[in-house]
Amino acid sequence: MNTFERIWAAARQIPPGRVASYGQLARMAGMPRSARVAGYAMHAAPEDVPCHRVVDRLGRLSDAFSPSGRDTHRLLLEMEGVDFLPDGRVDMARFQWTAGSSS
DNA sequence: AGTATGACATAGC
DNA sequence: AGCTATGCCATAC
């Protein structure tokens, strides 16, 4: 299993209506120091990986998100039931996924 | 094989 | 509270 696949596996574990930070994915993948690599893996993530559920530690997506940037990202998460703060960020306090909090 | 780069994170100023 | 600088680790050239 390559590094990317491990990170993708972690991303795939993110339930709908939940988000996870790059550092957290890296941590789940067994590489707590490879937060950058986690993001880089998302860049190369296949279709079956919900990369839109992956945000930075502030609940903000990178400025280089695939098609329409942050706009598409926001719509996708709202569509899944994720609420956004007036700051334009995801409410990490309520939607940051943690292994075990599937409810 | 070495250098440069990057969808991040943390600490300092 | 927001920006700059440094660290980390894997990929690309």
Side-chain angles (χ1 to χ4, degrees):
Chain A
M1 181 105 68
N2 295 327
T3 308
F4 280 31
E5 289 187 18
R6 283 164 66 169
I7 296 169
W8 295 338
R12 275 183 279 234
Q13 290 164 62
I14 306 173
R18 266 314 158 12
V19 296
S21 66
Y22 298 97
Q24 188 159 3
L25 285 180
R27 188 167 141 181
M28 295 179 346
M31 355 164 68
R33 273 54 212 199
S34 310
R36 301 187 78 138
V37 183
Y40 203 79
M42 290 297 92
H43 183 91
E47 298 287 322
D48 65 308
V49 176
C51 46
H52 59 271
R53 291 184 196 150
V54 185
V55 296
D56 60 55
R57 77 178 183 85
L58 298 176
R60 204 136 111 101
L61 181 64
S62 302
D63 305 299
F65 193 69
S66 306
S68 309
R70 311 185 297 281
D71 302 297
T72 303
H73 175 214
R74 179 166 178 163
L75 271 295
L76 284 167
L77 293 186
E78 287 189 319
M79 177 174 60
E80 294 189 346
V82 177
D83 186 33
F84 275 74
L85 294 173
D87 305 59
R89 308 187 322 233
V90 183
D91 192 342
M92 297 300 279
R94 293 187 289 189
F95 298 107
Q96 183 171 41
W97 173 62
T98 46
S101 69
S102 308
S103 30

